Amino acid sequence: MSKIIETNFGTLINPSRIAKASASNIIKQGAFYVFSLRVATDDVREYCFTDRNRAENMRKILISHLEQDIARKAKRA
């Protein structure tokens, strides 16, 4: 479980919950398993895989990268 971080504004945030909420569920569209990840307010990236296991693994990896990025930005701001 991720630690709760206090920003310079005094707001407490949980980067893990923010990152998980930024990723959509994996859905099957035709022959592909698709999910999207909101990196910024105007930057939504969509990922497609032919295997559900690969999609699940990549979703976990991308969520952890986004979590680290959110924590780093919160400490800097």
Side-chain angles (χ1 to χ4, degrees):
M1 188 161 115
S2 181
K3 293 183 178 179
I4 295 177
I5 298 173
E6 184 174 0
T7 63
N8 287 343
F9 303 113
T11 307
L12 298 176
I13 63 169
N14 187 344
S16 175
R17 292 187 71 185
I18 294 172
K20 286 179 184 175
S22 297
S24 69
N25 293 329
I26 298 172
I27 57 171
K28 184 166 178 153
Q29 290 182 347
F32 298 101
Y33 294 94
V34 180
F35 69 93
S36 61
L37 187 72
R38 181 177 298 276
V39 179
T41 56
D42 58 345
D43 187 8
V44 179
R45 299 179 187 183
E46 187 171 286
Y47 297 92
C48 301
F49 295 91
T50 55
D51 184 19
R52 183 164 183 88
N53 290 332
R54 287 184 181 180
E56 289 173 353
N57 289 337
M58 184 54 78
R59 184 175 180 271
K60 288 178 188 175
I61 291 169
L62 290 172
I63 287 173
S64 69
H65 285 277
L66 186 59
E67 180 181 341
Q68 292 170 1
D69 187 47
I70 291 169
R72 188 177 66 244
K73 287 179 182 177
K75 288 179 181 176
R76 245 190 310 169

